Amino acid sequence: DYQLNEYSDFEIREQQARLNTLYDDFSKKYGLINSTANERAFRDDNAYHLLSSLEILDEDGKLQRKADMFTKRTIKQKAQITSVDTASEALAVSISEKARVDMPFMEQLTGKSEEQLVNDLKGVIFRNPQNNQWETADEYLSGNVRGKLEFAKKAAEVFDEDLSVNIAALEKAMPKPLEASEIDVRLGATWLDTDIIKQFMIE
């Protein structure tokens, strides 16, 4: 809690000294937290696994050293990123913090316009004409690629949009159609209509 709430180093060292004293007193009386007897005693305590992580044991189950928490800062508050230099860094921050391609946020981080960002990230992000949202290549070039390609071609014709980058990337990502010999249908499959099975038997 002291580390999470960014208390001073002095206050954290005080708490570490207190933790060391509490641990040493306990281990003198009852032995290692990870000992069989203590494991039994703490069996119903949900925090036992957290407690047992205070000890780093060797291969023989003997105490090698105390965990870093006794002497070091092990938790730091996440530093908020307010600016980056490149479009790719802005994209990484946007995915990390917003879980999506957030153009206004990326513009704010870089000071670049949307047009500059799009130009820098060509082939890395795509505007999906189905929802008018920017998406990463991983997201846009997966799933129902055929459906996305058909939609992009129609959108390009109807709205006279330049979707040539989208179309080229979708065509490249298109999986090879299966040959008839590669398709295996098991009789009794739940998706197979019984009329088709009857027709197969008759033929």
Side-chain angles (χ1 to χ4, degrees), residues 8 39 44 67 91 96 101 108 117-118 126 139 145 160 193:
S8 68
E39 193 175 342
D44 298 327
L91 177 62
S96 170
V101 181
Q108 190 183 322
L117 289 168
V118 169
F126 294 87
E139 187 178 358
V145 183
D160 194 26
D193 196 289

Side-chain angles (χ1 to χ4, degrees), residues 86-97:
T86 65
S88 56
E89 287 173 329
L91 177 62
V93 174
S94 180
I95 298 298
S96 170
E97 295 196 10

Side-chain angles (χ1 to χ4, degrees), residues 147-159:
K148 287 179 182 179
L149 179 60
E150 281 173 32
F151 193 94
K153 283 178 176 175
K154 281 178 188 168
E157 288 171 16
V158 175
F159 302 108

Side-chain angles (χ1 to χ4, degrees), residues 21-22 34 125 174:
T21 304
L22 286 166
N34 282 282
I125 62 169
M174 189 73 65

